[in-house]
Amino acid sequence: MTALESVAADARYAAEEKRFSVCTLVTDWDQYRTMLEAFHARGFVAPDTEFLHLDNSRGNRFEGFGGVNLFLGTARGRYIILCHQDVRLVDDGIDALEARIKEIEYLDPYWAVLGNAGGSAPGRLFIRISDPHDGDTSRGPFPARVSGLDENFLVVRRAANLAVSYDIAGFHLYATDLCLVADVLGWSSYVIDFHLQHLSPGKADASFKLMRTKLVAKWRRALRARWAVSPSASLYVAACGLATRLMNSGLGRKLARLRD
């Protein structure tokens, strides 16, 4: 390809763009069709919205983490909605979501993930949903910056270029993993006032507990203290400020060379 034949990456990115991509892992086609009808009735229609699915109706061909990465890598929407097949838009629709996004963009230009249930600290939860647990729940104030979100409904900013971890798999806690990835990259996550109904209460079964253990172990590895070495610099990174200052000093670099 010559220089005259090249295509500007930003132009191609914009030309392929939709407003929304609605992405769902499907195990029950009746549930999914009812979900589609609810989205259509609330303004999510072509050509501004595309609907993507992965078929798990005959077995789990796609697990949650891998499915999310496939959606995030192929969706063309400026905003990528990752949702369960059993969510129903009952009050709010596309206009309300656009308004919430506009509000967040004014408050925090570095937002990357939005949801309807999450927390900022143990016991500090923010929820806007109707579900079998508590009926119509509004626990604000909104928007609320959080460190983790529930998987039933997520809005991901495509420009953030996020992915979830590739070294773990399963159907639980991928939204929390996504929020952690966003935070490491300098983005933020929020619970917003966008009301929908989730038909399932969820379940903290043995697979959930196992995934929790795996996720903690993964992030312990990811955030471990280490040397990052390039031809131009040797950097020691660690959560402990004292250790970081010591190892980035001349003495620390000398000790590291002696160890090797």
Side-chain angles (χ1 to χ4, degrees):
M1 178 180 289
T2 68
L4 292 177
E5 295 171 328
S6 68
V7 178
D10 58 340
R12 174 167 290 179
Y13 185 89
E16 296 178 348
E17 189 173 80
K18 300 283 186 180
R19 186 65 176 168
F20 290 99
S21 297
V22 180
C23 307
T24 312
L25 287 168
V26 178
T27 61
D28 184 321
W29 286 106
D30 289 335
Q31 286 257 20
Y32 182 63
R33 279 189 285 268
T34 304
M35 188 210 86
L36 288 180
E37 291 170 0
F39 270 86
H40 292 157
R42 294 292 174 179
F44 292 91
V45 294
D48 292 332
T49 302
E50 64 174 359
F51 291 87
L52 307 177
H53 70 267
L54 293 173
D55 185 1
N56 276 352
S57 62
R58 298 182 181 179
N60 291 328
R61 298 173 56 220
F62 305 94
E63 50 81 28
F65 283 76
V68 164
N69 280 331
L70 188 54
F71 284 137
L72 294 177
T74 57
R76 294 179 294 166
R78 181 179 300 178
Y79 307 112
I80 302 170
I81 296 174
L82 305 168
C83 66
H84 289 181
Q85 65 190 8
D86 61 347
V87 299
R88 304 291 181 262
L89 302 188
V90 291
D91 293 328
D92 295 334
I94 193 168
D95 292 339
L97 186 55
E98 292 270 18
R100 298 293 86 77
I101 290 172
K102 185 176 181 180
E103 178 184 20
I104 285 291
E105 289 181 341
Y106 175 78
L107 295 172
D108 182 356
Y110 296 103
W111 76 272
V113 191
L114 309 177
N116 58 12
S120 59
R124 182 60 170 157
L125 299 178
F126 303 92
I127 301 171
R128 184 66 184 111
I129 195 172
S130 289
D131 68 10
H133 285 297
D134 300 305
D136 187 345
T137 303
S138 181
R139 189 185 305 175
F142 307 110
R145 185 165 180 173
V146 294
S147 55
L149 289 163
D150 187 81
E151 283 80 17
N152 79 92
F153 181 84
L154 301 166
V155 181
V156 183
R157 186 178 187 174
R158 184 165 67 117
N161 292 314
L162 296 182
V164 293
S165 294
Y166 283 86
D167 53 353
I168 50 179
F171 292 93
H172 299 290
L173 296 174
Y174 55 79
T176 296
D177 186 70
L178 185 67
C179 293
L180 288 168
V181 171
D183 182 63
V184 168
L185 295 177
W187 300 98
S188 50
S189 303
Y190 289 85
V191 170
I192 57 172
D193 184 6
F194 184 79
H195 184 218
L196 55 74
Q197 181 182 23
H198 186 208
L199 302 183
S200 169
K203 55 182 179 179
D205 57 9
S207 64
F208 177 87
K209 296 174 183 177
L210 178 60
M211 179 54 65
R212 184 182 185 278
T213 299
K214 289 182 177 180
L215 195 66
V216 170
K218 181 260 153 54
W219 280 96
R220 185 182 295 121
R221 293 194 306 272
L223 301 177
R224 70 191 182 277
R226 76 194 83 176
W227 282 99
V229 180
S230 75
S232 58
S234 295
L235 308 174
Y236 187 81
V237 294
C240 176
L242 178 61
T244 300
R245 288 192 296 272
L246 172 63
M247 296 305 289
N248 280 303
S249 69
L251 175 61
R253 288 191 290 271
K254 183 177 181 180
L255 290 172
R257 286 194 296 271
L258 291 174
R259 184 194 63 184
D260 294 338

